[in-house]
């Protein structure tokens, strides 16, 4: 296999793009760095394409490695033929390679291997050769009766021979490939209740059937979980007779001497050996496909969540609701610095609403609080009602927002939190996290393992290693696309910067503490364990405000500083004037140049020049500022306030395969089913909405008993 040509064809790229990307990856460059600073080499491939290409490259290399290993193992058995070697080399998947290797793989003792030990393989070959009639087979079989080998009867000899034939049929790679294909195209997944009288969240699958080729990914994961929790029994249904007929057509070549022995062996091969194996493989295929979809959805949701716009320069009160142990309160200033903490008891069993309100009012007045961030966990509904009432009693305008507290408890007990707030009680750290994740979701949420952020679907059921890898990649892309303030970033944030390890991130913070703030990017070279390669990888993503050069506050890489300064000289704009006050003047100058001619004059690539110009036009730009702003509230809705056809605005909290959950200001988020997201047909809810979007929705159904609200966006005018 020519891996380069394979990738060119699959990704519809030019050969130079694939060759250069492979080289860059092999040299140890990170995906964010390649995507941002090596656009000329890759032909401006996005980070998404680069990650997909990297994953596929890894698979193809593993495939080639497995082919070489299988060829070597078969050769060691002195069974390798030119035809077999060619077949292995032509295989396009690891599954195909394993199918070919199956007959040669060392086996545990099977019925067939036991029969071979009894000397029955020649008899099996005679039957499989299809040159003898039934009567002739029985005559020849008598020669294999041998008490010493425990072949005491004619039936023993024939049964052993059929076991060998069954395994031979089962090990045939071509038959398996075709049966797997038929099963995938025509098979049906069936699930039944283990006990129909027991109610569970899986009741829709108590008598369920759907074609393998069309079953939705989220239903596969739901069925898997129901089976694991022993609420469901699951099987795969297929037309057995059609497959057995296929095998007979392929195997029985001489109908004139066709015999029941070979037909029985074929049936046994399918029912005992092939069918269970293929069913397991199909279930694995469905699960892996569903897991990849779930991981991709989680990743896309996580990206939108991390790139939510920061709420800058606002004093925020973090409110972590609870019952018996009290609601934890933390106040942070506009930079995220902790100002105060306390605990109040407005909820059951204490129900000290008046005392709690008075305490909150005192804190709001003392610290001039602007926004209250309420965690959405236990007692959130009751807390929201109290906050909404209190806001009406205040003299100054204060708003609140419900914030996901997913992972807050994980953070509270983490080593990161202990280092940040060693003298703060673990229970209060969650309130700090809730406040700070409203101020800067990216900077705060990177302190938590991505899988605990809570914007996925069935995230605990998927391959955890693959999930961690994918989500780490998403966080890396987000952190590097935004950029990191070198003088304020935490180690948790720094370690996601291209080229920076956890140890180097801690060394950067230690350098700040010992040497003072960074005034230029070149000082990074003095940080322990940050070598030349790491510097090249990370420098462009680290920002320094008010440093020695304004370029350090942009994503212009130090390797392009000379080109950037030459450009500014050509347009007669001194570098020292580069700040937000002079942007309009600089924009006019830069808009007047011919970029193609300028790129040639500066001897740099056109993509790099365009990026330099973009950065010079808006130094210190934060791409998150272009995202929809958070929706703040001052009052609360009760479920009883809702009526069908009522139109409300809300915030998209989660997007899954079958729709989107919208925060409309009641306790539980409302669901917009995929069929209600748009007037046109859509396959993917993410084609219409993303986490953080502010949308208008209409109430189309209310289940007061279950506290559920069904919403629709059909025919509703949106704001954007």
């Amino acid at each position: 296999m020519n891996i380069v040509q394979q990738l060119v064809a699959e990704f519809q790229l030019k050969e130079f793009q694939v060759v250069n990307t492979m080289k860059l990856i092999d040299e140890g460059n990170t995906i964010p760095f390649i995507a941002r600073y090596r656009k000329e080499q890759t032909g401006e491939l996005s980070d998404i394409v680069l990650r997909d290409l990297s994953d596929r490259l890894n698979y193809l290399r593993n495939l080639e490695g497995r082919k070489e290993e299988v060829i070597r193992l078969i050769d060691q058995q002195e069974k390798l033929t030119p035809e077999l070697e060619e077949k292995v080399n032509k295989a396009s998947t690891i599954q195909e390679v394993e199918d070919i290797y199956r007959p040669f793989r060392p086996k545990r003792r099977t019925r067939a291997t036991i029969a071979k030990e009894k000397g029955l393989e020649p008899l099996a070959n005679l039957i499989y050769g299809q040159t003898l009639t039934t009567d002739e087979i029985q005559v020849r079989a008598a020669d294999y009766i041998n008490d010493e080998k425990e072949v005491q009867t004619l039936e023993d000899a024939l049964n052993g021979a059929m076991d060998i034939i069954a395994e031979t049929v089962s090990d045939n790679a071509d038959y398996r490939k075709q049966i797997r294909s038929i099963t995938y195209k025509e098979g049906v997944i069936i699930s039944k209740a283990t006990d129909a009288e027991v109610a569970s969240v899986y009741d829709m699958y108590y008598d369920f059937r759907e074609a393998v080729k069309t079953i939705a990914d989220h239903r596969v994961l739901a069925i898997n979980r129901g089976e694991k929790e022993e609420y469901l029994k699951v099987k795969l249904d297929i037309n057995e007779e059609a497959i057995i007929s296929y095998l007979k057509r392929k195997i029985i070549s001489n109908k004139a001497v066709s015999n029941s022995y070979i037909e029985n062996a074929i049936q046994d091969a399918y029912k005992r050996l092939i069918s269970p194996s293929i069913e397991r493989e199909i279930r694995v295929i469905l699960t892996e496909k569903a897991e990849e979809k779930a991981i991709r959805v989680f990743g896309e949701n996580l990206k939108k969540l991390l790139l939510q716009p920061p709420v800058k320069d606002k004093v925020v009160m973090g409110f972590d609701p609870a019952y018996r142990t009290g609601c934890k309160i933390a106040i942070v200033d506009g930079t995220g610095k902790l100002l105060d903490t306390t605990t109040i008891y407005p909820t059951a069993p204490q129900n000290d609403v008046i005392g709690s309100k008075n305490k909150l009012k005192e804190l709001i007045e003392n610290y001039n609080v602007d926004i209250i961030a309420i965690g959405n966990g236990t007692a959130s509904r009751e807390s929201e009602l109290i906050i909404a009432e209190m806001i009406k009693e205040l003299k100054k305008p204060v708003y609140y927002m419900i914030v996901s507290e997913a992972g807050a408890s994980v953070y509270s007990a983490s080593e990161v939190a202990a280092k940040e707030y060693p003298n703060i009680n673990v229970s209060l750290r969650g309130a700090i996290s809730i406040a700070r994740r409203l101020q800067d979701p990216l900077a705060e949420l990177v302190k938590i393992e991505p899988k605990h952020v809570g914007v996925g679907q069935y995230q605990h059921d998927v391959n955890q290693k693959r999930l961690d890898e994918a989500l780490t990649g998403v966080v890396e892309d987000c952190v590097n696309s935004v950029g990191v303030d070198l003088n304020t970033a935490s180690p948790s944030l720094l370690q996601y910067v291209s080229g920076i390890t956890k140890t180097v991130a801690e060394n950067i913070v230690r350098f700040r503490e010992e040497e003072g703030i960074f005034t230029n990017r070149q000082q990074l070279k003095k940080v322990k364990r940050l070598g030349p390669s790491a510097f090249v990888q990370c420098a462009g993503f680290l920002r320094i405000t008010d440093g020695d050069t304004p370029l350090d506050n942009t994503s212009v890489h130090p390797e392009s500083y000379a080109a950037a300064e030459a450009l500014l000289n050509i347009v007669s704009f001194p570098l020292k004037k580069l700040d937000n006050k002079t942007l309009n003047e600089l924009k006019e100058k830069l808009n007047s140049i011919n970029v193609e001619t300028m790129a040639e004059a500066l001897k740099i690539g056109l993509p790099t020049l365009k990026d330099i110009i973009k950065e010079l036009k808006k130094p210190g730009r934060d791409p998150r500022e272009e995202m929809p702003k958070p929706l703040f509230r001052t009052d609360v809705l009760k479920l009883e306030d809702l009526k069908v056809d009522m139109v409300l605005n809300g915030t998209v909290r989660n997007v899954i395969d079958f729709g989107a959950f919208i925060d409309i200001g009641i306790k539980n988020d409302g669901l917009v089913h995929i069929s209600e997201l748009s007037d046109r047909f859509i396959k993917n809810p993410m084609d219409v909405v993303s986490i953080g979007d502010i949308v208008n929705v209409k109430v189309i159904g209310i289940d007061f008993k279950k506290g559920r609200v069904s919403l629709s966006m059909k025919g509703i005018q949106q704001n954007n």
Side-chain angles (χ1 to χ4, degrees), residues 161-304:
M162 286 190 291
D163 285 341
I164 295 171
I165 293 171
E167 188 166 278
T168 300
V169 171
S170 172
D171 284 347
N172 186 290
D174 293 333
Y175 300 162
R176 280 185 164 268
K177 183 177 180 180
Q178 183 64 18
I179 293 170
R180 190 183 297 112
S181 176
I182 293 170
T183 305
Y184 190 87
K185 291 176 182 176
E186 301 178 11
V188 176
I189 288 283
I190 296 175
S191 66
K192 299 280 186 182
T194 51
D195 185 347
E197 301 301 316
V198 177
S200 77
V201 294
Y202 307 105
D203 53 7
M204 72 169 287
Y205 300 108
Y206 277 9
D207 188 13
F208 175 85
R209 59 188 293 123
E210 187 166 354
V212 168
K213 65 181 179 181
T214 60
I215 188 168
D217 296 314
H218 66 273
R219 285 200 280 273
V220 171
L221 295 177
I223 288 171
N224 287 354
R225 184 188 287 179
E227 183 181 37
K228 184 178 179 181
E229 295 178 6
E230 300 183 352
Y231 287 102
L232 303 175
K233 294 178 290 186
V234 184
K235 70 174 184 176
L236 197 154
D237 188 42
I238 187 70
N239 185 340
E240 287 187 354
E241 290 308 312
I243 292 178
I244 291 172
S245 295
Y246 156 75
L247 287 171
K248 287 179 179 179
R249 288 195 305 273
K250 298 296 291 186
I251 295 167
I252 299 176
S253 58
N254 189 350
K255 294 183 179 179
V257 295
S258 176
N259 56 78
S260 59
Y261 298 117
I262 197 166
E263 290 186 3
N264 289 341
I266 289 171
Q267 290 213 27
D268 181 47
Y270 177 69
K271 292 182 178 180
R272 179 171 61 87
L273 301 174
I274 299 175
S275 178
S277 174
I278 294 294
E279 178 167 348
R280 285 192 299 271
E281 289 173 11
I282 293 294
R283 292 286 304 274
V284 168
I285 289 169
L286 288 175
T287 298
E288 288 179 347
K289 176 173 169 283
E291 286 184 351
E292 279 301 309
K293 177 67 178 297
I295 289 170
R296 188 163 61 252
V297 168
F298 196 152
E300 291 175 7
N301 282 340
L302 177 63
K303 183 174 185 177
K304 295 294 183 181

Side-chain angles (χ1 to χ4, degrees), residues 12 58 85 199 214 240 246 261 292 322 348 492 641 643 713:
Q12 297 183 319
N58 188 50
E85 185 172 2
T214 60
E240 287 187 354
Y246 156 75
Y261 298 117
E292 279 301 309
S492 301
D641 296 333
K643 292 181 174 57
M713 289 172 56

